[in-house]
Amino acid sequence: MTMQLYIINWSFQSAEDQLFATQEFCEYFQNGKLNEFIEGFELKFIAHTPQDGTGIIICKAENASIAFNLLNIWRENYDISFNIKPALTSEELVDLKKSTDE
């Protein structure tokens, strides 16, 4: 099955939640849990902007519900808001442009 590229923006609702979630995330990262294989999901990149409690995840997933379900534990435990958007790679954008020009 083809994997869709997703851009996921997140933001914390409180500084306290950000503090606790950052601690847990660092433990996940240090224990290699972010490198674990998850069927139908491939993590590409995470960028953190702690100064304003936001960040971006770039991933590929078979569908948005896989990404949504993986983020659910963070959403429920730390009141994080996630915005999941499908995206195109540069190559996919060029292919799309070519197909509309024909």
Side-chain angles (χ1 to χ4, degrees), residues 44-77:
K44 295 292 193 179
F45 189 78
I46 300 176
H48 306 265
T49 48
Q51 62 273 23
D52 67 356
T54 65
I56 296 173
I57 299 168
I58 299 175
C59 64
K60 284 190 170 187
E62 288 181 2
N63 56 61
S65 65
I66 291 173
F68 183 87
N69 289 334
L70 286 171
L71 298 171
N72 200 38
I73 188 170
W74 298 95
R75 183 182 305 102
E76 289 179 351
N77 290 330

Side-chain angles (χ1 to χ4, degrees), residues 11-82:
S11 61
F12 287 97
Q13 305 309 303
S14 76
E16 184 179 43
D17 281 331
Q18 181 181 358
L19 179 67
F20 292 126
T22 298
Q23 179 63 37
E24 184 164 340
F25 177 85
C26 290
E27 289 175 21
Y28 261 65
F29 183 79
Q30 291 170 334
N31 292 326
K33 291 184 178 183
L34 294 178
N35 296 325
E36 292 178 358
F37 176 76
I38 299 169
E39 184 72 33
F41 181 82
E42 182 183 341
L43 178 63
K44 295 292 193 179
F45 189 78
I46 300 176
H48 306 265
T49 48
Q51 62 273 23
D52 67 356
T54 65
I56 296 173
I57 299 168
I58 299 175
C59 64
K60 284 190 170 187
E62 288 181 2
N63 56 61
S65 65
I66 291 173
F68 183 87
N69 289 334
L70 286 171
L71 298 171
N72 200 38
I73 188 170
W74 298 95
R75 183 182 305 102
E76 289 179 351
N77 290 330
Y78 301 108
D79 197 22
I80 304 172
S81 172
F82 292 98

